[in-house]
Amino acid sequence: MALAYSLFYKFYLGVAAHLQTEPVMDISATNPLCEGPCGSSRVFQAVDPSQIEADPVGRSVPHLSSQQISTGQAMFIDDWPRAEDELFLAFVRSKRAHAKILSVDNSEALTIPGVVEYIDHRDVQGSNLWGMYSPNHEVFASEKVTSYGQVIGGVLAESRDIARRAAQKVKVEYEDLKPILTIKQAIEAKSFHFDPLELHYGDVEAGLQASDHVTEGELSIGGQEHFYLETQSVLVTPKLENDEIELLASSQDLTFLHGEISKIIGVSKNRIVCRTKRNGGGFGGKQTCPLLVCGPAAVAAKKTGKKVRCVFNREEDITITGKRHQMLAKYKVGFMSSGKILALKLDLYANGGYSPDETDSVLTCSILNAVNVYKIPNVHLRGHGCFTNIPARGGLRGYGAPQAIFIIENIMTELAIHTGLEQEQIREMNFQQEGDVNHWNQTLENVNIQKCWDTCVEQSQFQSRKMSVEDFNRKNRWKKRGTAMIPVSFAIGSFPRFLAQAGALVSIYVDGSVLVSHGGVELGQGLHTKMTQVAARALSMPIEKILISETSTDISTNTTALAAGATTVYCSEGLSPLFKDKLLPPMYVIVPSHRLRVPIWTVSVCLLQDFTREEMMIMTFQKNSGKGMDYFSYGAICAEVEIDNLTGEHQVLQVDIVMDVGRSLNPYIDIGQIEGGFVQGYGLMTMEQLKMTTEGQPLNFGPSTYRIPTVRNIPHKFNVTLLKDCPNEKAIYSSKGIGEPPLLLSVAVFLAIKSAIRAVRRDAGLGDHFRLDCPATVESIRLACQDRFTKLLDVDDQPDPAFHVC
Ligand code: MTE
């Protein structure tokens, strides 16, 4: 209603301006897209001039699958040709968030022509339970359902349409139980997955007492759908002998999948092969979630002896799978009038859904990243995993770090308002310095925060832009602009330490061509391209001679969950001994060596992550000491936005990013990751909103009901610079992991929007302090810009009570 009034008012202002009865107002938006050429820039790193021309490491080699992907020739699971007797599996899904299953009647479904079989928990020959850290997911819900969309059974049919239609005909009778859906409800009901994770550093109470000022508050950040393009998919092929079975799956963690399938179908791992050529995007959603399709499909293939395909459509994918955790923060901060922070007490509540899954490790990541780049001498952090009746939450790019950075950067803004200092000033004065010890007692080395910050200030011309924004705001009433500049750091490493390992198998053929297999999965992040570059250097041969065809558990065995943007580093290190220890002869002696019966055809390398082996992970929250992570990726961003305070719309006018990627293995790919990561985070900050009814029924079914960024939302000017002269000796060829950290930069857009809203509120005589939860959607921006229309309607800041933003 406020929007409707506002639009009429805009119309009135337009007419009044036309008739010149009122001064011309700024109602016609500055449409930056019409302002002329974009003028975005990408600043690459140059390779060392002494590097030989043929060595591709550090050069901007295009993504090796880019042509296949952009022309539609790249193979994804559902592109694999259909076998004649293949069956399609569709699921019977729970229509309750929490209920006992009283009966299941599949009689009508089984009469539909083309339906072959019905399967449920009684068909599972091994264990009906699976899980990342403990087995707590049921392959098929047996006695009760604990979330909407949970899989109860499956219909196997000759075609996907028949299978889906038949699954709809299966009747389930429920006895309803009271669901717990939101964090607030979980706190009230004391419904948690585990005891809180807790980290103490210094003495927080003493720090709060010694502070000139103490402020406290609450803030929340919503969840996020992975929205990979290839939905969860699998093609299972049972072999004719020895119980052997093969899964061609869209999974980014084949070893986990392999192990769980072995338990579910009760067959040892050596009889199971899990393969993938590539995933059509994963973003963390192909780590545990593939079990939701692969588990039932493997059971179905075992039961029928037939090939089984299961491919989610978008609606199934979005309603069944887990997402990024929504979090609520309760904080208390002590600080001096000078702006120095003395103490931070933070309770983070994560909505974990019906299974603990990755909630523990996501919260761990939040705690490790909770102070971002700031030196805070007294810290008490707690992470609470809420047990609720929504699909189990998992990892999504950045893991728990985006939520943590969102909270601490909002706190920094609040402190600037309290102290009357500029936001940049208060941030900079609290930066960690070289040799500082962080809140988990790790001594910091190669702290490139200031370097990124200074480069960003200079490249964005921050000070003059800030002044022009203030000028714009003085002159305009219905449009306001805001800027924000923040630093980010992201701890890279694996936790626990044994995860930091990988391997590679190199097969050399007498024609001089090479096939490399390693444990990492290509998700679009350019892993295979970078690995090919590394192999080319190791073997002193051109990249055209090297192929990475697929990832498979029969070749790369016992790999670990590769994530945290560190896969390239770990897998490359699997190859690096070839280079360092000269395990292979140079290419020109390969054929002669073969004639002399010198074994040159394969070299298998499997090793611990090389660079930090001596500092094995010893840190625990209880001890809070030791080297928790390998190194940090740093970055800085300046964002400028414009909001239309009558409609709540916004446009990102300019973004300047400076990112420390060490010595880039491939600047093309790294800049692509920075741009992509930022845009994904921008969706989280401004438009992606998970909604459900008060009964827990999801209300997001696809792009029409779940808004993700489109080309229209790309910043008008998008400048990305790779920081120069910052080699990182903790990773392969001095590089750094880049897949996840850039997502954190998007918090700056949220803060810039908040700053623009503050300018609106100042005009209306309202105070600078106000709560704005994430995402800053069109609706919430409009409502935060309080004016006579919002007041007239008595609209408060609360969302529609019929919907829970989970
Ligand atoms: N880029 C594309 N195109 N597709 C993806 O699925 N996943 C992101 C990031 N970039 C992803 C991506 C996530 S969640 C991670 S952890 C890293 O890539 C993995 O990168 P790595 O192989 O360097 O570890």
Side-chain angles (χ1 to χ4, degrees):
M1 287 300 288
L3 177 65
Y5 274 118
S6 304
L7 289 172
F8 274 120
Y9 188 59
K10 269 181 99 130
F11 170 70
Y12 161 75
L13 289 173
V15 173
H18 186 70
L19 299 175
Q20 296 183 340
T21 55
E22 284 200 20
V24 177
M25 297 301 255
D26 54 311
I27 40 146
S28 58
T30 324
N31 185 351
L33 294 180
C34 309
E35 264 184 0
C38 268
S40 300
S41 66
R42 292 165 173 166
V43 180
F44 291 59
Q45 285 174 355
V47 292
D48 189 328
S50 62
Q51 182 173 322
I52 58 163
E53 192 70 15
D55 179 354
V57 170
R59 300 191 193 278
S60 288
V61 176
H63 192 297
L64 293 176
S65 301
S66 54
Q67 288 192 5
Q68 286 105 308
I69 291 171
S70 51
T71 56
Q73 292 173 74
M75 294 286 282
F76 297 97
I77 304 298
D78 210 18
D79 296 324
W80 248 257
R82 204 177 175 286
E84 223 164 67
D85 62 344
E86 184 184 301
L87 298 175
F88 195 89
L89 174 65
F91 292 141
V92 176
R93 294 178 273 159
S94 166
K95 292 206 166 66
R96 298 288 190 280
H98 193 196
K100 275 191 196 157
I101 300 172
L102 298 181
S103 66
V104 178
D105 175 5
N106 59 21
S107 50
E108 190 183 342
L110 289 173
T111 60
I112 296 176
V115 170
V116 174
E117 191 68 83
Y118 176 81
I119 53 164
D120 64 16
H121 64 99
R122 291 164 300 184
D123 298 302
V124 179
Q125 289 178 13
S127 165
N128 190 35
L129 290 170
W130 63 272
M132 186 65 142
Y133 296 105
S134 57
N136 39 48
H137 272 275
E138 283 193 306
V139 179
F140 296 104
S142 52
E143 286 166 12
K144 73 187 237 189
V145 286
T146 47
S147 112
Y148 213 94
Q150 209 170 344
V151 175
I152 296 170
V155 175
L156 286 152
E158 287 163 5
S159 80
R160 64 189 76 200
D161 288 346
I162 297 174
R164 286 204 172 105
R165 234 178 331 116
Q168 304 273 354
K169 300 283 178 204
V170 176
K171 295 181 195 75
V172 182
E173 246 192 305
Y174 304 94
E175 180 188 320
D176 286 326
L177 301 168
K178 192 173 170 355
I180 294 172
L181 302 168
T182 62
I183 293 179
K184 206 165 156 246
Q185 290 169 355
I187 295 173
E188 273 164 19
K190 295 193 175 49
S191 173
F192 297 107
H193 284 298
F194 41 77
D195 290 341
L197 307 174
E198 198 153 4
L199 188 138
H200 288 275
Y201 175 76
D203 182 341
V204 91
E205 293 306 330
L208 288 170
Q209 276 197 352
S211 300
D212 291 341
H213 314 276
V214 172
T215 181
E216 54 190 310
E218 265 189 35
L219 203 54
S220 90
I221 169 166
Q224 186 177 27
E225 161 64 18
H226 296 91
F227 230 105
Y228 28 68
L229 288 185
E230 182 190 31
T231 53
Q232 302 286 343
S233 337
V234 68
L235 179 60
V236 189
T237 309
K239 301 283 170 72
L240 297 177
E241 289 181 25
N242 305 326
D243 268 344
E244 291 171 54
I245 192 163
E246 181 191 271
L247 283 85
L248 188 63
S250 188
S251 151
Q252 66 186 89
D253 190 351
L254 291 176
T255 299
F256 171 66
L257 178 66
H258 190 213
E260 296 309 290
I261 293 295
S262 157
K263 289 180 214 153
I264 292 168
I265 60 174
V267 168
S268 60
K269 284 183 172 184
N270 58 350
R271 288 155 205 263
I272 302 169
V273 178
C274 296
R275 295 166 48 208
T276 192
K277 190 156 184 69
R278 59 171 68 81
N279 289 189
F283 307 112
K286 301 274 175 72
Q287 195 144 351
T288 55
C289 293
L291 256 300
L292 295 167
V293 281
C294 296
V299 171
K302 271 297 264 163
K303 182 171 183 185
T304 59
K306 299 260 172 63
K307 263 191 182 222
V308 173
R309 190 181 296 249
C310 186
V311 178
F312 278 171
N313 63 24
R314 183 63 60 189
E315 182 270 326
E316 289 164 335
D317 201 293
I318 209 167
T319 51
I320 297 176
T321 64
K323 316 193 183 309
R324 189 190 292 287
H325 290 75
Q326 190 233 356
M327 288 197 196
L328 169 72
K330 298 185 181 201
Y331 59 86
K332 201 169 187 180
V333 200
F335 56 101
M336 305 305 280
S337 303
S338 66
K340 275 272 177 198
I341 309 174
L342 286 195
L344 170 67
K345 200 171 175 180
L346 176 67
D347 276 282
L348 272 178
Y349 295 85
N351 194 341
Y354 69 78
S355 148
D357 245 12
E358 293 178 76
T359 300
D360 179 309
S361 43
V362 165
L363 274 169
T364 300
C365 182
S366 304
I367 288 176
L368 295 183
N369 288 284
V371 302
N372 195 8
V373 301
Y374 306 113
K375 173 73 191 159
I376 306 182
N378 303 291
V379 164
H380 180 197
L381 306 168
R382 284 199 299 187
H384 311 261
C386 300
F387 187 149
T388 56
N389 296 113
I390 62 171
R393 274 19 192 172
L396 204 168
R397 204 173 194 170
Y399 234 51
Q403 294 96 324
I405 304 285
F406 170 77
I407 305 295
I408 188 71
E409 288 305 329
N410 270 278
I411 292 176
M412 296 309 285
T413 305
E414 205 180 308
L415 299 194
I417 296 169
H418 274 295
T419 53
L421 293 167
E422 294 297 327
Q423 292 189 30
E424 320 72 70
Q425 227 180 331
I426 203 161
R427 289 193 164 91
E428 204 172 343
M429 83 167 68
N430 284 290
F431 280 176
Q432 294 163 338
Q433 307 293 335
E434 188 72 22
D436 273 353
V437 166
N438 73 1
H439 64 297
W440 71 82
N441 278 308
Q442 177 159 341
T443 305
L444 303 172
E445 300 162 45
N446 300 319
V447 180
N448 289 329
I449 305 163
Q450 193 72 49
K451 244 174 150 179
C452 289
W453 185 259
D454 293 343
T455 315
C456 192
V457 169
E458 195 193 317
Q459 300 208 346
S460 62
Q461 298 178 323
F462 181 64
Q463 294 307 338
S464 65
R465 293 241 318 278
K466 211 170 126 182
M467 275 156 59
S468 63
V469 162
E470 280 161 16
D471 187 48
F472 178 92
N473 287 345
R474 265 192 301 277
K475 292 182 184 148
N476 292 278
R477 171 73 181 88
W478 305 109
K479 297 242 172 279
K480 294 288 179 194
R481 289 187 179 176
T483 53
M485 185 156 163
I486 63 161
V488 296
S489 94
F490 184 80
I492 298 213
S494 290
F495 196 97
R497 201 72 187 128
F498 76 89
L499 294 176
Q501 56 179 318
L505 179 82
V506 182
S507 306
I508 302 181
Y509 300 91
V510 285
D511 66 352
S513 63
V514 174
L515 184 67
V516 175
S517 307
H518 59 83
V521 172
E522 175 63 46
L523 312 167
Q525 84 280 42
L527 175 64
H528 287 355
T529 307
K530 287 183 173 177
M531 291 292 293
T532 307
Q533 289 173 270
V534 171
R537 174 182 277 188
L539 300 165
S540 306
M541 63 192 304
I543 45 177
E544 297 74 34
K545 290 263 180 197
I546 301 169
L547 178 71
I548 301 179
S549 174
E550 62 168 18
T551 312
S552 178
T553 52
D554 58 347
I555 301 175
S556 299
T557 48
N558 306 321
T559 56
T560 58
L562 294 165
T567 320
T568 315
V569 172
Y570 294 156
C571 290
S572 304
E573 282 159 16
L575 281 175
S576 64
L578 300 185
F579 183 59
K580 281 200 265 180
D581 309 335
K582 303 217 177 334
L583 288 180
L584 287 174
M587 278 317 292
Y588 61 88
V589 295
I590 280 183
V591 175
S593 303
H594 181 59
R595 292 272 152 87
L596 294 171
R597 295 187 295 152
V598 175
I600 47 104
W601 56 95
T602 54
V603 175
S604 169
V605 202
C606 184
L607 81 170
L608 270 179
Q609 199 222 341
D610 216 18
F611 294 86
T612 49
R613 192 191 325 212
E614 76 284 5
E615 299 149 346
M616 290 295 283
M617 173 66 210
I618 43 159
M619 187 217 159
T620 61
F621 278 177
Q622 289 75 27
K623 275 203 298 186
N624 195 15
S625 70
K627 192 170 168 69
M629 290 285 160
D630 299 340
Y631 60 87
F632 295 81
S633 284
Y634 296 107
I637 177 171
C638 169
E640 182 179 340
V641 304
E642 181 178 300
I643 63 165
D644 177 329
N645 36 332
L646 284 174
T647 63
E649 291 165 296
H650 78 269
Q651 177 73 47
V652 183
L653 302 180
Q654 184 163 336
V655 158
D656 291 87
I657 292 173
V658 176
M659 202 74 210
D660 165 19
V661 296
R663 194 172 285 147
S664 174
L665 286 175
N666 184 327
Y668 252 11
I669 287 180
D670 286 352
I671 289 185
Q673 284 293 300
I674 294 169
E675 293 171 345
F678 167 82
V679 172
Q680 194 166 26
Y682 168 67
L684 170 70
M685 290 295 134
T686 60
M687 62 185 77
E688 299 188 32
Q689 208 172 21
L690 297 168
K691 289 186 174 181
M692 60 183 162
T693 63
T694 44
E695 277 74 51
Q697 179 178 0
L699 292 167
N700 308 101
F701 310 109
S704 60
T705 43
Y706 183 79
R707 217 183 139 204
I708 54 170
T710 64
V711 69
R712 178 68 179 77
N713 305 108
I714 304 296
H716 177 52
K717 275 191 189 159
F718 198 171
N719 302 322
V720 178
T721 299
L722 300 184
L723 189 71
K724 292 194 177 65
D725 305 324
C726 50
N728 169 38
E729 61 202 33
K730 303 279 182 202
I732 184 82
Y733 301 141
S734 306
S735 62
K736 281 192 177 183
I738 189 62
E740 308 205 82
L743 189 138
L744 316 177
L745 297 162
S746 57
V747 172
V749 174
F750 179 93
L751 295 175
I753 290 175
K754 201 168 173 190
S755 159
I757 298 174
R758 201 171 290 118
V760 177
R761 294 170 65 99
R762 275 186 196 152
D763 280 0
L766 297 165
D768 278 354
H769 286 286
F770 63 100
R771 176 171 170 175
L772 184 70
D773 289 322
C774 181
T777 58
V778 172
E779 293 91 326
S780 65
I781 295 174
R782 179 63 191 93
L783 290 172
C785 294
Q786 284 180 17
D787 56 21
R788 58 184 137 137
F789 302 121
T790 54
K791 287 202 184 104
L792 194 71
L793 294 157
D794 197 23
V795 178
D796 61 17
D797 290 359
Q798 298 307 309
D800 185 332
F803 302 139
H804 287 288
V805 178
C806 58

